[in-house]
Amino acid sequence: MDNLRRRIRLAAYILLTFSSLTALFHILGGFEKELKIDARNAIYSSIDDSSQGGDTQSYIDFNGKAVKLNCDIGTQGKWPFCEISIDLVGTMGGLDLSSFHSIGIDVDYYSLMDGERLRVYLRNFDPDYSSTDDPVSYKFNAIEFAPGLGDGMKVIPLKAFQVLSWWIADYQVPIENSGPQFDNIVQIEIATGSHVKPAHYSIKLNRLVFYGHWLSESALLRVNILLWVLAAIYFLVAERRRLADRVKQMGAQADYLKQANKQLYQQSLALEQLAFTDNLTGTQNRHAVDRWLREIVDFSQRNCHALSMVYIDIDYFKRINDSLGHHGGDEVLKEFGRVLNLRARKTDVVVRWGGEEFIIFCPATNLRGAREFAEMVREIVESYQWTNGLRITCSVGVAEHRPDEKIETFIQRADNALYRAKQQGRNRVEVV
């Protein structure tokens, strides 16, 4: 159990450290990534309204670093425009910008009015609504902004882009496909604003960058939660296995104790079958139990079983002998032995220790249980209807075997308790 707790604490420290470090790493931009669009991965071209009947003229000027669109807006087009078209098909095969959060555009817009706006389109191809035969079917993810002149990089969140409503209406796009989509951008367009007039315009694209995360904040949170959940599941499974092993061990211990008790009972039965009995009382004699006593003491110590002794002496037995004679005294001893044998439990061993002294050895019985048993024996002796109407009582000493105690010391302590019972008036039980 302590080992499992140490492992849980260690895992918690490791996970907490990992979660804290990855969160800090994310805050400091450690998971940031950039994708630059330039001549190495894109094809630049100019598009204007000349393909739609207009007379706008435009051309691209590329100096190796920046792309400049020079555009002379004509007067004949219905919706005059010109734009820089950045074709990604054939170079990158379409961009998946799902893991990017912003676009950075450094562009200078030369126009008639200050603050005039540019349009930026991220064109997405999806077979559900797009066809290679119709480039206009590529989704228009659009935004308009005023780049100014010499104002440097502007960073715009991709979530600011909206799909053009006319495109949704013209192509009857279902509602589930009408939202912004950036998983397959095949073309980027930077076009003049909505209200241009016949004049000279130029769009100079200095830099175009997409910003994203190798691992987003939500993904990082999910990873950390998953690690904590997996750790919790692992330790729950480990604890379940530990409890199962513990139950198995307890079952094995119960089987062992059951077998040990059975062995103890068999030993007691074997002892009862020995021929070494006291001829007069029918109890065992002290010589018959010497070997058994050594074995039961050793067994009890090895298996942490209690072993107690009830040492009994008949009160004023000399008076009985004097009044009834030795033959009458023997009859009393014989009857006393029968009473003890009848009241003893199956695992108890009753021994005539000498004269009018008897010992009952009580395996698997602690001091409290032995005392209760001794009190029961004393009361039975006192209330028993003895032959010739005698009133007989007994004094009893009780002791429980102590760890590593010699058998002689064990017996002597019980004898001392018996002596104390006689000293304090007889017909009583004393415990040591």
Side-chain angles (χ1 to χ4, degrees):
M1 183 64 178
D2 291 339
N3 185 44
L4 180 63
R5 287 175 177 172
R6 284 195 296 270
R7 285 191 292 163
I8 291 175
R9 285 197 295 268
L10 178 60
Y13 293 149
I14 293 174
L15 287 173
L16 185 60
T17 302
F18 176 80
S19 300
S20 301
L21 289 177
T22 53
L24 180 61
F25 191 65
H26 187 278
I27 292 172
L28 296 177
F31 292 112
E32 291 285 347
K33 64 178 179 179
E34 293 184 1
L35 177 61
K36 297 179 181 179
I37 304 299
D38 54 32
R40 292 172 297 180
N41 54 28
I43 299 173
Y44 297 95
S45 62
S46 66
I47 298 178
D48 53 42
D49 63 359
S50 60
S51 61
Q52 302 172 11
D55 59 349
T56 298
Q57 296 181 0
S58 64
Y59 63 92
I60 288 288
D61 182 15
F62 181 60
N63 63 7
K65 293 184 179 180
V67 177
K68 185 175 182 181
L69 173 69
N70 292 292
C71 175
D72 292 312
I73 298 293
T75 60
Q76 296 181 12
K78 186 176 182 180
W79 292 290
F81 75 95
C82 59
E83 67 179 40
I84 298 174
S85 176
I86 305 171
D87 190 3
L88 303 174
V89 176
T91 57
M92 303 185 70
L95 277 179
D96 183 1
L97 299 179
S98 302
S99 60
F100 291 82
H101 54 76
S102 301
I103 181 174
I105 304 178
D106 182 1
V107 62
D108 294 321
Y109 187 25
Y110 299 86
S111 63
L112 293 177
M113 296 182 297
D114 293 337
E116 192 163 356
R117 300 166 74 86
L118 276 177
R119 291 175 291 181
V120 178
Y121 303 134
L122 302 180
R123 305 292 301 280
N124 197 82
F125 181 90
D126 188 322
D128 288 344
Y129 52 74
S130 304
S131 171
T132 55
D133 297 330
D134 181 11
V136 182
S137 65
Y138 303 169
K139 179 177 286 186
F140 284 83
N141 300 292
I143 193 171
E144 287 193 16
F145 77 105
L149 186 62
D151 290 345
M153 178 76 78
K154 291 185 181 295
V155 178
I156 303 169
L158 291 184
K159 63 182 180 181
F161 282 74
Q162 300 294 326
V163 180
L164 295 180
S165 58
W166 67 261
W167 179 86
I168 295 174
D170 286 356
Y171 284 87
Q172 298 181 355
V173 178
I175 187 68
E176 60 269 17
N177 290 330
S178 62
Q181 191 174 350
F182 306 101
D183 58 353
N184 190 24
I185 301 298
V186 296
Q187 194 174 29
I188 303 172
E189 297 172 347
I190 303 174
T192 53
S194 304
H195 305 290
V196 292
K197 298 179 179 180
H200 179 78
Y201 292 80
S202 69
I203 302 172
K204 182 182 179 184
L205 178 61
N206 301 305
R207 195 172 175 217
L208 179 61
V209 184
F210 289 98
Y211 300 102
H213 294 114
W214 291 108
L215 190 65
S216 67
E217 184 177 355
S218 60
L220 178 61
L221 179 61
R222 287 195 295 269
V223 168
N224 280 310
I225 291 175
L226 178 62
L227 289 176
W228 281 96
V229 170
L230 290 176
I233 292 174
Y234 169 78
F235 285 111
L236 285 174
V237 171
E239 176 66 6
R240 182 181 177 87
R241 288 180 178 176
R242 187 192 70 82
L243 291 176
D245 291 340
R246 179 60 179 160
V247 170
K248 186 176 180 181
Q249 291 175 2
M250 292 176 65
Q253 290 176 353
D255 291 340
Y256 174 78
L257 292 175
K258 182 178 180 181
Q259 187 63 31
N261 287 332
K262 182 178 180 181
Q263 181 182 358
L264 181 64
Y265 178 64
Q266 290 173 345
Q267 287 178 347
S268 298
L269 291 179
L271 182 61
E272 290 178 1
Q273 295 173 0
L274 293 175
F276 300 104
T277 58
D278 182 70
N279 291 331
L280 178 63
T281 62
T283 63
Q284 306 295 323
N285 61 46
R286 64 187 301 173
H287 301 292
V289 298
D290 282 346
R291 180 178 176 183
W292 173 86
L293 187 56
R294 289 193 298 272
E295 290 178 352
I296 198 64
V297 167
D298 181 63
F299 177 85
S300 298
Q301 289 197 32
R302 282 189 291 106
N303 295 279
C304 298
H305 283 189
L307 173 64
S308 297
M309 176 193 307
V310 177
Y311 203 143
I312 306 170
D313 183 82
I314 301 175
D315 293 333
Y316 302 112
F317 186 72
K318 185 175 182 304
R319 296 180 185 177
I320 296 173
N321 262 340
D322 291 343
S323 62
L324 299 179
H326 289 289
H327 178 73
D330 288 346
E331 290 299 320
V332 170
L333 289 175
K334 185 184 299 185
E335 194 170 3
F336 194 85
R338 285 199 302 271
V339 170
L340 293 184
N341 277 326
L342 287 172
R343 295 301 182 267
R345 298 163 298 186
K346 287 185 177 181
T347 55
D348 295 337
V349 176
V350 182
V351 183
R352 184 183 179 192
W353 204 248
E356 69 274 18
E357 294 180 347
F358 294 80
I359 292 179
I360 302 177
F361 293 100
C362 304
T365 305
N366 59 21
L367 188 63
R368 179 178 178 182
R371 179 173 186 170
E372 293 175 354
F373 174 68
E375 285 287 357
M376 181 190 72
V377 170
R378 185 196 64 77
E379 292 174 0
I380 289 173
V381 170
E382 183 181 17
S383 60
Y384 188 78
Q385 300 297 315
W386 298 94
T387 304
N388 299 324
L390 293 172
R391 181 180 182 274
I392 296 177
T393 62
C394 64
S395 298
V396 186
V398 180
E400 180 181 354
H401 187 263
R402 296 170 179 171
D404 301 322
E405 184 179 35
K406 292 182 178 181
I407 295 175
E408 293 78 7
T409 306
F410 179 32
I411 296 173
Q412 184 59 51
R413 288 195 300 111
D415 188 33
N416 291 340
L418 172 62
Y419 179 77
R420 191 161 63 247
K422 286 182 173 292
Q423 288 292 104
Q424 295 186 13
R426 292 181 170 80
N427 190 25
R428 63 185 291 124
V429 175
E430 287 293 326
V431 177
V432 65

